[in-house]
Amino acid sequence: NAGVMQNPRHLVRRRGQEARLRCSPMKGHSHVYWYRQLPEEGLKFMVYLQKENIIDESGMPKERFSAEFPKEGPSILRIQQVVRGDSAAYFCASSPLGSSYNEQFFGPGTRLTVL
Amino acid sequence: GQQLNQSPQSMFIQEGEDVSMNCTSSSIFNTWLWYKQDPGEGPVLLIALYKAGELTSNGRLTAQFGITRKDSFLNISASIPSDVGIYFCAGRGTQGGSEKLVFGKGTKLTVNP
């Protein structure tokens, strides 16, 4: 049973470009969460999605960031017009249902570097 | 917003020693989780705690959910070199029914052979 998959593992962008991060949840999992981790910090929640629905986006910056989890295909975290402060590791987690007693399992992350 | 205070920030121990780390919060959490993160990887779940006062073990790891629901600790007994990594506590709270996790800043563990 494959775990949570994220790609790319490393992404380099210049300021002003767009970054697209992909997450394929574990088989059978329909809930996806995105977190951001700065160096020497813990993970910070960004957004929680179910198929075709955003459930909680309270951690998403108001501008330039968006997320989707379509009926078919991976979840996408999109960052438009990236700035140097967007450089971080972005982790996706998935759970089979809402995560009470169904814990979140994390992918290996995408490390975004903005030049 | 909810915050977790995790301590210590780092620990340097000898192989075979026991380790203890803890997390505290000013808010109540319904679930406490402990994760380990190796360099360049995502966090791996070690132990999940669901009830106040619950004490749970996973091999050499033991964790407890504080009775006030505002704290948790993780103990590692007889440490070995592969225990090296960063350990994070995480809480799932009660605000708004969200399933989001709130993470501590981590305890970086170094084990000297």
Side-chain angles (χ1 to χ4, degrees):
Chain A
N1 187 16
V4 178
M5 297 174 68
Q6 289 187 249
N7 68 81
R9 292 291 305 270
H10 299 274
L11 182 61
V12 179
R13 286 287 178 265
R14 296 192 180 279
R15 280 179 297 170
Q17 292 183 321
E18 178 180 286
R20 279 185 178 243
L21 288 61
R22 294 175 189 77
C23 169
S24 296
M26 288 177 70
K27 188 176 181 180
H29 287 194
S30 58
H31 295 237
V32 165
Y33 314 79
W34 285 93
Y35 293 81
R36 177 165 61 178
Q37 185 180 34
L38 295 171
E40 310 296 321
E41 295 285 326
L43 282 71
K44 295 282 197 296
F45 169 80
M46 299 181 75
V47 63
Y48 164 35
L49 310 106
Q50 297 174 23
K51 287 281 187 182
E52 301 184 281
N53 282 309
I54 297 175
I55 306 302
D56 180 355
E57 56 182 348
S58 58
M60 286 280 269
K62 295 286 184 262
E63 297 176 347
R64 303 187 297 108
F65 284 71
S66 62
E68 62 177 9
F69 188 17
K71 188 176 179 181
E72 303 290 338
S75 175
I76 307 285
L77 179 67
R78 182 181 177 209
I79 311 172
Q80 295 178 287
Q81 299 175 325
V82 295
V83 301
R84 288 215 175 108
D86 296 333
S87 295
Y90 292 83
F91 291 97
C92 166
S94 72
S95 68
L97 298 170
S99 55
S100 297
Y101 300 99
N102 289 286
E103 292 316 326
Q104 297 174 29
F105 295 89
F106 284 83
T110 294
R111 277 138 191 92
L112 173 65
T113 301
V114 179
L115 301 177
Chain B
Q2 294 174 308
Q3 288 186 325
L4 294 183
N5 298 307
Q6 186 171 350
S7 63
Q9 273 190 304
S10 60
M11 302 183 75
F12 297 84
I13 63 169
Q14 293 297 126
E15 183 177 358
E17 289 183 354
D18 297 344
V19 171
S20 185
M21 58 192 78
N22 68 84
C23 270
T24 60
S25 171
S26 57
S27 306
I28 289 173
F29 286 96
N30 287 334
T31 303
W32 282 92
L33 306 162
W34 285 91
Y35 287 87
K36 182 187 179 217
Q37 186 177 28
D38 291 326
E41 298 296 329
V44 174
L45 181 64
L46 300 174
I47 291 181
L49 302 155
Y50 300 108
K51 289 174 59 176
E54 180 181 355
L55 183 71
T56 297
S57 293
N58 178 8
R60 294 178 297 105
L61 278 59
T62 301
Q64 183 157 31
F65 191 148
I67 199 75
T68 65
R69 294 202 284 158
K70 293 183 178 181
D71 62 303
S72 176
F73 71 75
L74 174 71
N75 288 341
I76 306 173
S77 62
S79 58
I80 59 178
S82 62
D83 290 334
V84 165
I86 302 178
Y87 291 80
F88 290 99
C89 61
R92 185 163 57 235
T94 59
Q95 291 181 348
S98 174
E99 308 299 330
K100 67 182 178 186
L101 298 179
V102 178
F103 280 81
K105 291 192 174 184
T107 295
K108 186 175 182 179
L109 179 64
T110 303
V111 180
N112 296 314

